[in-house]
């Protein structure tokens, strides 16, 4: 098998463009230039919910009850993956109860894995619980090549036999054995996958150079509530003492720090003021610091963060880093914001390759951004409304924010990306005074995947892009 395990494969389309015929596409039409004011509430973190859902696969005894699950396309995709493996899900409002006692498959459908890269998070739990997993390498190339070599290196270290043949990864182990694993890069997904697998391994596992994101801590807290023995989550070294089985529990995952950061930028961008309810300031240290450096006033309390935008913002330099550094998932929103700040700002992306696709769209609105490799040099100017196309989830958010601040009308196409990670975005933004409307447009192409995924997709029927 090839040595480079590159996950950057396009989903199969059977010669068609991605999407389904006969459906309409939605766009956002935004009238910009109005300051936003009021209170906006953040939901439960998508990136905490996805691994926690996958971890429910580990539970042989009892059921898992998850509260305040957001209605997002990525959550629907992960739940469809779990159902295809045999998990039964009962939904009561936003509480989802998962019954994983009868897992009957160890191979998630390639169509679903192709829709969303985070589907690979079922690998660790399936390998640990079932002794085997087979996954077609995921899609999701919009923000650069995203291999899964660190995940596979972790499984191998735990004693699994890993094979790659024609884009399909197979991992097998009758019982995983605790060991020390060093990640070359603190990958969020690899840390989560190996952490989940190690909970059921024999003996102690030490994960060195582990990712330290709040979502890792939340996953560890959830696993510990189920009977796992994990220490050190949130630091670079995580220790896991393997246990023989995990039991069901109830859990409420953390609020979404990226959603919160997006709303803070919305207030700053439009010269408004307001309160982001549910935001945990401790999770947003670099975002708050950079907004303050620009001159905005921010005040933290136990329930959220208040912001009053300055009329005279200063340019700043931003460099993305693994947590606790500046989050790459806030980079597009900041790039858009800095495009309107007089002077020169420099934005450096170190986590992903090719995560500046939104710069070209912002340029259609008048932004002056020069890309040099992993750096964007931004000369602040004023933005004007235009028709722009979202290229991924956070790029879509950045374009919506730019539209709220720009003079005139902005249309953001391909808002299917927004629905992957922001729940009721236009409704929430309207609540703080935004003039934003969701418009169905029949003339647009290509078409997106359906809003709510059918339980099982026919092979090749629906494909799309995931990050
Ligand atoms: C997660 C988040 C995503 C966020 C990212 C970085 C979820 C569901 N998604 O993605 O929103 O942007 O963290 O904060 O939580 N890499 C490798 N080999 C690997 C794994 C990763 O080279 O085995 C590289 C990737 O190509 C990328 C970088 O490491 O350049 C970051 O990836 P990783 O931290 O794994 O991000 P995800 O878990 O995919």
């Amino acid at each position: 098998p090839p040595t480079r395990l590159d996950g950057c494969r396009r989903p199969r389309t059977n010669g068609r463009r991605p999407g389904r015929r006969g459906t309409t596409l939605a766009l956002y039409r935004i009238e910009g230039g109005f300051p936003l004011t009021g209170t906006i509430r953040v939901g439960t973190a998508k990136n905490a919910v996805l691994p926690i859902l996958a971890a429910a696969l580990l539970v042989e005894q009892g059921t898992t009850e998850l509260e305040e699950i957001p209605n997002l396309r990525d959550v629907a995709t992960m739940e469809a993956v779990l159902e295809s493996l045999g998990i039964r899900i009962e939904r009561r409002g936003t509480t989802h109860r998962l019954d994983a006692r009868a897992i009957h498959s160890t191979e998630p459908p390639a169509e679903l894995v192709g829709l969303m890269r985070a589907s690979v998070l079922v690998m660790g739990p399936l390998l640990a619980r079932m002794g085997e997993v087979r996954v077609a390498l995921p899609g999701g190339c919009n923000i650069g090549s995203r291999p899964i070599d660190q995940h596979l290196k972790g499984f191998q270290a735990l004693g699994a036999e890993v094979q790659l043949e024609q884009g399909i990864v197979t991992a097998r182990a009758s019982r995983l054995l605790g060991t020390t694993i060093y990640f070359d890069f603190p990958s969020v997904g690899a840390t989560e996958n190996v952490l989940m697998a190690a909970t059921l391994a024999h003996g102690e596992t030490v994960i060195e150079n582990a990712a330290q994101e709040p979502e890792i801590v939340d996953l560890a807290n959830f696993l510990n509530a189920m009977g796992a023995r994990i220490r050190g989550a949130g630091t670079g070294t995580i220790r896991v003492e393997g246990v023989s089985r995990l039991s069901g529990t109830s859990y409420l995952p953390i609020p979404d720090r990226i959603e919160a950061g997006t709303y803070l930028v919305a207030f700053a961008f439009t010269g408004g003021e307001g309160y982001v309810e549910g935001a945990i300031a401790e999770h947003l240290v670099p975002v708050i610091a950079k907004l303050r450096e620009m001159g905005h006033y921010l005040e933290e309390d136990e329930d959220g963060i208040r912001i009053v935008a300055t009329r005279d913002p200063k340019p700043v330099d931003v460099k993305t880093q693994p947590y606790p550094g500046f989050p790459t998932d806030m980079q597009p929103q900041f790039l858009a914001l800095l495009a309107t700040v007089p002077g020169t700002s420099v934005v450096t992306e170190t986590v992903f390759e090719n995560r500046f696709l939104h710069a070209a769209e912002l340029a259609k609105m008048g932004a002056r951004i020069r890309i040099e490799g992993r750096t964007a040099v931004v000369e602040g100017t004023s933005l004007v409304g235009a028709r722009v196309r979202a290229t991924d989830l956070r790029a879509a958010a950045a374009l919506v924010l730019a539209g709220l601040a720009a003079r005139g009308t902005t249309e953001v196409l391909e808002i299917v990306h927004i629905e992957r990670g922001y729940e009721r975005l236009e409704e929430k933004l309207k609540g703080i005074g935004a003039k934003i409307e969701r418009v169905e447009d029949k003339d647009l192409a290509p078409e997106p995947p359906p809003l709510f995924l059918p339980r099982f997709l026919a092979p090749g029927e629906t494909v799309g892009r995931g990050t």
Side-chain angles (χ1 to χ4, degrees):
T3 46
R4 187 176 149 77
L5 300 169
D6 189 331
C8 206
R9 223 169 47 105
R10 286 269 163 229
R12 273 170 296 151
T13 59
N14 296 339
R16 288 187 285 124
R17 301 185 76 180
R20 290 198 307 182
R21 274 162 296 177
T23 55
T24 57
L25 262 196
L27 57 79
Y28 282 145
R29 187 167 294 146
I30 302 165
E31 293 300 324
F34 304 96
L36 300 179
T37 53
T39 296
I40 187 164
R41 202 181 153 68
V42 298
T44 305
K46 166 182 88 75
N47 286 355
V49 169
L50 296 177
I52 285 174
L53 282 169
L57 280 165
L58 292 163
V59 180
E60 271 178 81
Q61 224 173 357
T63 58
T64 305
E65 193 176 86
L66 301 176
E67 292 167 44
E68 293 187 27
I69 295 302
N71 183 13
L72 298 173
R73 191 183 290 262
D74 277 5
V75 170
T77 304
M78 182 58 91
E79 291 194 337
V81 169
L82 297 181
E83 285 175 318
S84 78
L85 302 171
I87 284 198
R88 292 188 12 215
I89 305 178
E90 190 191 315
R91 298 170 183 83
R92 283 210 191 119
T94 59
T95 300
H96 295 196
R97 183 186 287 276
L98 288 84
D99 183 341
R101 282 173 289 194
I103 302 299
H104 56 63
S105 164
T106 54
E107 186 171 355
E111 293 74 27
L112 292 179
V113 178
L115 275 179
M116 181 180 72
R117 177 182 159 86
S119 314
V120 298
L121 294 172
V122 301
M123 289 185 81
L126 282 175
L127 178 62
R129 163 119 184 243
M130 310 296 287
E132 185 190 73
V133 60
R134 255 170 80 81
V135 170
L137 285 177
C141 298
N142 273 7
I143 51 176
S145 140
R146 298 174 79 176
I148 59 165
D149 57 320
Q150 298 300 303
H151 304 235
L152 302 183
K153 173 178 156 177
F155 299 147
Q156 265 166 340
L158 287 167
E161 190 193 313
V162 177
Q163 280 182 332
L164 175 67
E165 258 172 303
Q166 303 193 334
I168 310 238
V169 178
T170 310
R172 274 193 203 95
S174 53
R175 176 97 201 251
L176 296 173
L177 297 176
T179 184
T180 295
I181 294 156
Y182 174 82
F183 285 131
D184 299 332
F185 176 89
S187 153
V188 174
T191 302
E192 291 167 344
N193 238 337
V194 170
L195 178 61
M196 291 187 279
T199 57
L200 296 183
H202 185 74
E204 191 189 48
T205 302
V206 182
I207 307 173
E208 304 275 18
N209 201 20
Q212 303 178 26
E213 270 70 1
E215 292 76 19
I216 306 275
V217 178
D218 209 36
L219 173 64
N221 287 341
F222 170 67
L223 290 166
N224 282 341
M226 298 198 298
R229 296 172 59 92
I230 301 164
R231 283 174 301 153
T235 75
T237 305
I238 304 180
R239 289 172 193 279
V240 188
E241 191 63 50
V243 297
S244 53
R245 67 156 58 105
L246 298 178
S247 319
T249 188
S250 274
Y251 200 75
L252 171 64
I254 52 171
D256 197 314
R257 63 193 165 100
I258 305 301
E259 186 188 1
T262 302
Y263 299 153
L264 288 174
V265 171
F267 286 119
F269 219 151
T270 59
E273 63 175 279
Y275 187 66
V276 181
E277 196 182 339
I280 298 181
E282 202 191 326
H283 294 171
L284 282 157
V285 169
V287 171
I288 292 171
K290 283 295 160 184
L291 287 170
R292 283 188 176 140
E293 207 177 308
M294 292 173 71
H296 302 294
Y297 173 80
L298 285 94
E299 194 181 83
E300 309 155 11
D301 65 36
E302 284 202 347
D303 299 321
I305 303 170
R306 194 172 119 75
I307 177 167
V308 181
T310 176
R311 294 288 143 110
D312 181 25
K314 304 275 178 285
V316 295
D317 293 345
V318 170
K319 186 176 183 182
T320 67
Q321 302 271 9
Y323 193 87
F326 189 93
T328 174
D329 285 352
M330 284 299 301
Q331 179 263 100
Q333 300 89 315
F334 257 72
L335 188 72
L337 173 63
L338 293 170
T340 59
V341 175
T344 307
S345 300
V346 177
V347 176
T348 308
E349 173 61 60
T350 75
V351 178
F352 288 110
E353 293 165 31
N354 194 24
R355 196 176 193 174
F356 282 128
L357 294 177
H358 42 287
E361 298 302 307
L362 289 168
K364 293 180 188 166
M365 302 176 73
R368 292 161 58 190
I369 303 171
R370 199 175 69 242
I371 307 291
E372 289 166 7
R374 294 195 158 198
T375 299
V377 180
V378 190
E379 300 292 340
T381 180
S382 52
L383 298 180
V384 287
R387 187 171 242 226
V388 290
R389 190 174 289 276
T391 49
D392 72 48
L393 168 58
R394 305 305 168 183
L399 295 172
V400 169
L401 298 181
L404 292 170
R407 253 181 307 122
T409 308
T410 294
E411 288 184 338
V412 181
L413 278 64
E414 300 231 14
I415 60 167
V416 60
H417 291 293
I418 286 275
E419 290 153 1
R420 291 190 35 221
Y422 292 89
E423 189 176 13
R424 297 182 290 109
L425 182 68
E426 81 268 25
E427 200 183 308
K428 287 189 179 184
L429 289 175
K430 270 184 189 159
I432 52 172
K435 299 190 189 315
I436 177 170
E437 246 184 310
R438 193 191 148 94
V439 182
E440 302 289 331
D441 188 329
K442 292 195 172 66
D443 304 327
L444 302 168
E447 292 166 349
L451 181 55
F452 295 104
L453 287 160
R455 286 286 163 266
F456 299 100
L457 301 172
E461 183 201 349
T462 298
V463 290
R465 307 189 190 100
T467 57

